[in-house]
Amino acid sequence: ALLEMDPDSLAVREIYSWGGETAAWVNSLCSNATDDFFICAGGTTVRLMDLETGAQIQEMDHWHASLINCPKFANLHPSLIATASLDCSLGLWDIRTDMR
């Protein structure tokens, strides 16, 4: 489950649950600069999620031939994702397009 804590009340609420699916595959999370989206990555899969609702927007599989160990949103461009993989490749992706 993905949890959010209210900084004022310190109340914790669940904003996303993988619904029976184990989240053990997730090795990295990153939100974008405008806090609209976050990405979670594991294996060769990256999932784009809505930060407020926790809804999955896209699942991008096989972007790389090996483990994606470093997905990040660009600091000044909240729609761009850079990925690095153990296959020694880098990727640049724009979430405004179909990334499959």
Side-chain angles (χ1 to χ4, degrees), residues 16-29 38-49 56 58-61 67-69 71:
Y16 184 75
S17 172
W18 277 264
E21 176 188 355
T22 180
W25 67 271
V26 176
N27 68 355
S28 185
L29 293 171
F38 73 96
I39 50 176
C40 50
T44 60
T45 301
V46 175
R47 291 181 181 176
L48 176 65
M49 313 293 285
Q56 180 175 305
Q58 288 194 62
E59 181 173 328
M60 296 70 69
D61 198 12
L67 177 74
I68 298 169
N69 61 348

Side-chain angles (χ1 to χ4, degrees), residues 30-34 72-82 92 96:
C30 181
S31 64
N32 70 346
T34 55
K72 299 289 182 192
F73 275 101
N75 290 338
L76 300 178
H77 301 281
S79 63
L80 297 180
I81 298 170
L92 184 61
R96 297 171 293 186

